[in-house]
Amino acid sequence: MKYVCLSYLGPSNWETMSERDRKASMEEFFAYLAGMRKNGHIIGGEALQSAETATTLRWRNGKVAITDGPYAETKEQLAGFWIVEARDLNHAIQLMSKNPAVRGGAIEIRPAKHHADISDVLSASKGAS
């Protein structure tokens, strides 16, 4: 089963680390990812630019409103995501609990919708146009 794992970092994590600690953290993270790839658990993922570069769209008063920057004012900001293949939620939790990023913030795990679910939505939208 596929899970989308969202990585959130606190405001003082990366910026307050020494250069030596940053390097050690990245080495640990790359080793973790290499093991996940080797075992076929990583399907994809990306790091994200800082939350200040975000653009948020919301429906307001019958039209789309655009807000520069993150919509939610929170201390933790979305930093990246992974798409992980795991047997079940417990397996996904085991895999992501070893991710070094969990120590610097939080990792949210959500089951991905099955491809058929998305195909149904896309098919229905074609009929509505």
Side-chain angles (χ1 to χ4, degrees), residues 102-115:
V102 77
R103 292 192 303 268
I107 295 177
E108 179 180 335
I109 301 171
R110 293 191 195 181
K113 286 195 174 242
H114 296 285
H115 179 71

Side-chain angles (χ1 to χ4, degrees), residues 36-117:
M36 291 285 284
R37 281 192 185 99
K38 179 181 174 186
N39 294 318
H41 295 299
I42 293 287
I43 296 171
E46 291 290 335
L48 301 174
Q49 292 184 14
S50 72
E52 289 77 29
T53 66
T55 300
T56 302
L57 308 179
R58 293 278 184 208
W59 190 254
R60 299 270 190 250
N61 301 319
K63 61 183 180 178
V64 174
I66 302 170
T67 304
D68 289 333
Y71 181 75
E73 293 295 324
T74 64
K75 291 183 181 183
E76 293 181 333
Q77 298 292 328
L78 183 61
F81 68 94
W82 298 274
I83 301 172
V84 174
E85 184 68 41
R87 291 183 304 273
D88 55 27
L89 179 58
N90 287 332
H91 187 219
I93 291 168
Q94 289 173 350
L95 294 170
M96 296 313 290
S97 68
K98 295 176 182 149
N99 187 324
V102 77
R103 292 192 303 268
I107 295 177
E108 179 180 335
I109 301 171
R110 293 191 195 181
K113 286 195 174 242
H114 296 285
H115 179 71
D117 295 340

Side-chain angles (χ1 to χ4, degrees), residues 22-40:
R22 284 183 189 179
K23 183 178 178 185
S25 177
M26 291 307 296
E27 287 173 0
E28 181 183 13
F29 181 71
F30 290 142
Y32 166 79
L33 282 181
M36 291 285 284
R37 281 192 185 99
K38 179 181 174 186
N39 294 318

Side-chain angles (χ1 to χ4, degrees), residues 12-31:
S12 61
N13 295 325
W14 191 254
E15 292 81 20
T16 60
M17 292 174 88
S18 69
E19 188 63 34
R20 180 178 169 196
D21 287 343
R22 284 183 189 179
K23 183 178 178 185
S25 177
M26 291 307 296
E27 287 173 0
E28 181 183 13
F29 181 71
F30 290 142

